[in-house]
Amino acid sequence: MPLPSVLQRLKLPVIGAPMFIAGNPKLVVEQCKAGIVGSFPALNARPKEALDGWLTEIEQALAAIPDAAPYAVNQIVHKSNDRLEHDLEVCIRHKVPITITSLRAPNDVIPAIHGYGGIVLHDVISVRHAEKALEAGVDGLILVCAGAGGHAGMLSPFALIGEVRRFFDGPIVLSGAITTGDAILAALAAGADLAYIGTRFLATPEASVPERYKEEILKAAASDIVYTDLFSGVHGNYLKHSVIAAGFDPLNLPKSDPNKMNFGTAGGAERKVWRDIWSAGQGVGQIDKVLPVREVVAKLAAEYTAARRRLALS
């Protein structure tokens, strides 16, 4: 099945993953200018009234660039997200081209987005989640596999993509420790249409994270990533040193109560996860320099082209 037209205008088959705190209009615009999908979580725009201004800023900047890639906004579809109705209304009014939904199948979201021609891509970590999302009518799946930054699953990308491809021939975006052009090509070879890259863009001047966070990314290796559901109620990957700095023992973390998951504007997740506990994927060991977004994408593109030539695919 061919990709939706909005995903056919990319210079590199990549979606910049939405990252809490880090995502902002400047980061998104630079990603789109470089030829990949730029994205941010709607919850990053605070207070909620700022979201309208963020979208206007992005749209005005991209309108002046004829070959810019489209942008996406991530919506947390969870009962504790007390901004969801507001944020969706704003995004629908702006006709956001790509909506990325997370946590629950977005049954009520899809008709309104399809109504203006937008598409919905949904994060999944298992076959069951993929099936439920497709039943809801999503346009594509983002397979968030082992090693991905932020909320992530435990399945190998080769296992999950192989099983999903048995029943779905539509757009698949693959996530999980993808930080190089070689890995982008590997994702496509495994059956994906696009690669989903987040952590690599944390180490950019455009990312809205503390300099200390960027320094930790440069120093970290895969062994410095902690997988736990403690901080948000959903399993995710975090930098070990930020976990320790927040007063936790990464070798002795308790299990969370899933009933206490909170993505509301006044929840504990804002205090702990969004600010103090730093997310990162297992690909951190391959990041050794802070570079502007345009240089990161250029480097990825060069590596991707070299990998294709090395395998005689050019």
Side-chain angles (χ1 to χ4, degrees), residues 21-31 201-209 211 214 290-296:
I21 295 297
N24 64 79
K26 186 175 181 180
L27 177 67
V28 171
V29 168
E30 288 301 311
Q31 289 175 324
F201 291 104
L202 287 170
T204 63
E206 293 89 350
S208 301
V209 297
E211 290 304 311
K214 298 175 186 181
V290 174
L291 294 172
V293 166
R294 67 179 183 279
E295 293 186 26
V296 170

Side-chain angles (χ1 to χ4, degrees), residues 26-148:
K26 186 175 181 180
L27 177 67
V28 171
V29 168
E30 288 301 311
Q31 289 175 324
C32 295
K33 285 170 59 177
I36 68 171
V37 175
S39 74
F40 71 94
L43 289 171
N44 278 13
R46 291 175 177 264
K48 65 182 181 181
E49 290 76 16
L51 180 59
D52 181 74
W54 278 33
L55 295 177
T56 298
E57 180 180 346
I58 291 169
E59 290 162 357
Q60 290 178 346
L62 297 183
I65 307 166
D67 61 346
Y71 74 96
V73 176
N74 174 225
Q75 303 284 0
I76 301 296
V77 184
H78 190 266
K79 60 184 179 181
S80 70
N81 180 6
D82 54 8
R83 284 183 44 169
L84 181 60
E85 184 177 352
H86 168 274
D87 291 351
L88 280 171
E89 186 278 326
V90 174
C91 288
I92 290 168
R93 177 155 41 85
H94 278 266
K95 298 183 179 181
V96 170
I98 303 167
T99 297
I100 296 171
T101 52
S102 304
L103 290 189
R104 294 191 178 180
N107 303 64
D108 299 333
V109 174
I110 295 172
I113 295 170
H114 283 173
Y116 66 79
I119 68 168
V120 179
L121 306 177
H122 187 67
D123 287 346
V124 303
I125 63 171
S126 69
V127 167
R128 181 175 65 85
H129 290 154
E131 291 172 336
K132 291 179 69 174
L134 292 173
E135 289 172 4
V138 302
D139 301 285
L141 299 171
I142 300 171
L143 309 188
V144 188
C145 300

